[in-house]
Amino acid sequence: MALAFSAPRTILMVAGARPNFMKVAPLLKECEARPGCRAVLVHTGQHYDPELSEIFFRDLGIRPPDHALEVGSGSHAAQTAEILRRFEPVCQAARPDLVLVVGDVNSTLAATLVAVKLGIPVAHVEAGLRSFDRAMPEEVNRLLTDAVATWHFTTEASAGENLLREGIAPERIHFAGNVMIDTLLACRERAAASTILDRLGLATPAGVRPYGVVTLHRPSNVDAPAQLAGLLAALQALGEELPLIFPVHPRTAARLTAQGATLDGQGLRLVPPQGYLDFLHLLSRARLIITDSGGIQEESAILEVPCLTVRNSTERPVTVECGWNRLVGTRPSALLAAAGEVLHEGWRPGRRPPLWDGHASRRILDVLAGEPALLEVTR
Ligand code: UD1
């Protein structure tokens, strides 16, 4: 099928869950600044709590979505199915030239499936990342989205290599850099005005007291009671030496409540999920980050804060290669040992991954809005 675009080009952008909002923000801005482009924004509502959704729209200055699907929670099948059902009529009515999806959440895959079945080409931003662990729901979302997307925009070299190995044609792969880092760099100054350190009692007249930041929400770490209890015990022990701030994801909060977990140490402090600017500021001043998130591994490389990733694999190997991230596995003893090393032996500074320079969205829109020849797609 040959696709010919007419100006203005309509790009339908999909966001659904917390890690999507900071990726869509700069793309939307870049698209809307170009006379030849028109953006339609759809929020699937996969994340709906104000602290996982609304506050990000506010902090990032994202305009209200054109369509809010309000799908809410459910099993993976139910949530994905609900997005499929609700997104199809929106897509049919908007008649976009292309659908742009970001990341690897259920909304990414569901929107992709709807679009390709309607014959609308898909651009995947953050394509090609692979943990090679199919027990992760995100890995399945990544593989399936990339298999049918037309444009693959990558953040690091490994992603391009993965896509080539999977048979994606080289001309469909564009190494664009990291849109999440576009947002980080654009927001850094505003984040520095956050009062979160005062509110948490970390700022003193003499300066900022040393602390670490923890986030854990992956099913592999929080769904099995013994694993979660082991990690919490390790964090409490570490908290005796370095106070730890732990903004708790709703998934983790639910597991903690179900387990009746009691935290008796003073060093590990559980707080609600934070908004983007507050969280960025909190991360930027930390001595150490402990996480199982994908995005925070990347942010640590720009904020130049050592990151210990509580997983056996990472789909973002460049963060390790560049020296800001270390995979410590999921054993509590290994986490404690690695944290001890960072605190007592220090951390050799790393470097910034290539093209994580604040201009990824511009490169992506250059391709999507650029030469008509680039947009002639034959399938
Ligand atoms: C999702 C993404 C994950 C991402 C994470 C960041 C998938 C498969 N996973 O995981 O890649 O790292 O978001 O936050 O898409 N919940 C609330 N309030 C909300 C949203 C969810 O309480 O606003 C609860 C739900 O009821 C559910 C749990 O949190 O029990 C999980 O939510 P869900 O969207 O299914 O996946 P996440 O674990 O958040």
Side-chain angles (χ1 to χ4, degrees):
M1 172 173 62
L3 298 168
F5 287 85
S6 54
R9 212 152 274 159
T10 301
I11 302 181
L12 191 158
M13 300 192 182
V14 181
R18 179 171 62 177
N20 289 168
F21 305 133
M22 42 287 223
K23 295 170 193 167
V24 160
L27 290 162
L28 187 65
K29 204 164 151 219
E30 185 66 38
C31 181
E32 294 190 331
R34 292 178 187 235
C37 289
R38 194 172 79 84
V40 176
L41 179 61
V42 174
H43 183 351
T44 66
Q46 175 175 345
H47 282 178
Y48 46 85
D49 280 352
E51 56 200 6
L52 292 196
S53 175
E54 206 177 290
I55 191 166
F56 285 82
F57 275 71
R58 210 167 50 236
D59 277 2
L60 300 170
I62 309 175
R63 65 168 172 79
D66 300 292
H67 303 274
L69 306 184
E70 297 180 352
V71 298
S73 296
S75 66
H76 281 267
Q79 191 176 58
T80 307
E82 206 49 42
I83 303 170
L84 290 174
R85 208 172 62 77
R86 296 189 194 193
F87 184 57
E88 186 180 46
V90 169
C91 229
Q92 282 169 319
R95 302 172 59 84
D97 294 296
L98 64 113
V99 167
L100 183 151
V101 297
V102 297
D104 56 15
V105 301
N106 289 340
S107 301
T108 310
L109 172 60
T112 297
L113 277 180
V114 168
V116 294
K117 292 213 172 220
L118 290 174
I120 303 167
V122 170
H124 186 204
V125 173
E126 210 184 81
L129 297 180
R130 298 289 181 266
S131 64
F132 303 101
D133 174 4
R134 293 203 183 179
M136 284 179 75
E138 293 80 3
E139 181 76 354
V140 176
N141 293 342
R142 289 190 280 258
L143 279 160
L144 297 179
T145 299
D146 285 336
V148 292
T150 292
W151 294 273
H152 302 78
F153 293 102
T154 59
T155 51
E156 58 172 272
S158 76
E161 289 156 18
N162 294 334
L163 290 168
L164 288 174
R165 215 173 27 248
E166 288 167 21
I168 305 295
E171 61 272 21
R172 293 178 178 226
I173 303 170
H174 306 271
F175 180 26
N178 192 325
V179 290
M180 207 185 62
I181 302 305
D182 290 5
T183 293
L184 186 157
L185 295 172
C187 289
R188 220 172 160 177
E189 217 169 290
R190 273 197 306 139
S194 156
T195 56
I196 186 153
L197 301 181
D198 299 295
R199 282 180 275 133
L200 291 175
L202 296 166
T204 68
V208 177
R209 282 199 275 149
Y211 64 92
V213 176
V214 177
T215 81
L216 295 172
H217 76 281
R218 297 245 153 252
S220 53
N221 279 328
V222 306
D223 284 3
Q227 172 65 8
L228 181 57
L231 288 174
L232 285 177
L235 292 170
Q236 281 181 281
L238 178 63
E240 300 296 317
E241 187 178 347
L242 178 75
L244 297 173
I245 309 293
F246 183 177
V248 183
H249 186 281
R251 159 188 278 284
T252 311
R255 301 299 182 271
L256 289 172
T257 309
Q259 282 191 35
T262 49
L263 299 168
D264 30 38
Q266 292 298 308
L268 177 63
R269 184 147 163 218
L270 275 50
V271 298
Q274 301 295 309
Y276 183 74
L277 297 172
D278 283 340
F279 188 65
L280 185 56
H281 192 49
L282 187 66
L283 282 183
S284 72
R285 302 300 299 268
R287 275 282 307 278
L288 173 66
I289 296 169
I290 295 172
T291 192
D292 59 9
S293 147
I296 295 172
Q297 296 173 55
E298 297 183 340
E299 288 165 339
S300 80
I302 305 300
L303 299 172
E304 306 191 337
V305 178
C307 179
L308 300 180
T309 296
V310 189
R311 288 172 46 186
N312 293 315
S313 60
T314 179
E315 61 288 334
R316 294 162 160 95
V318 76
T319 58
V320 177
E321 286 152 25
C322 284
W324 287 109
N325 184 23
R326 190 181 300 168
L327 279 181
V328 299
T330 57
R331 280 187 305 116
S333 57
L335 169 61
L336 266 183
E341 270 177 42
V342 178
L343 295 183
H344 301 132
E345 292 164 32
W347 183 286
R348 203 153 51 88
R351 59 197 160 83
R352 186 178 281 206
L355 292 195
W356 291 19
D357 58 1
H359 302 297
S361 320
R362 180 170 54 67
R363 292 186 197 103
I364 290 169
L365 265 294
D366 280 350
V367 172
L368 295 180
E371 293 298 306
L374 276 175
L375 302 169
E376 280 291 316
V377 177
T378 307
R379 285 192 289 172

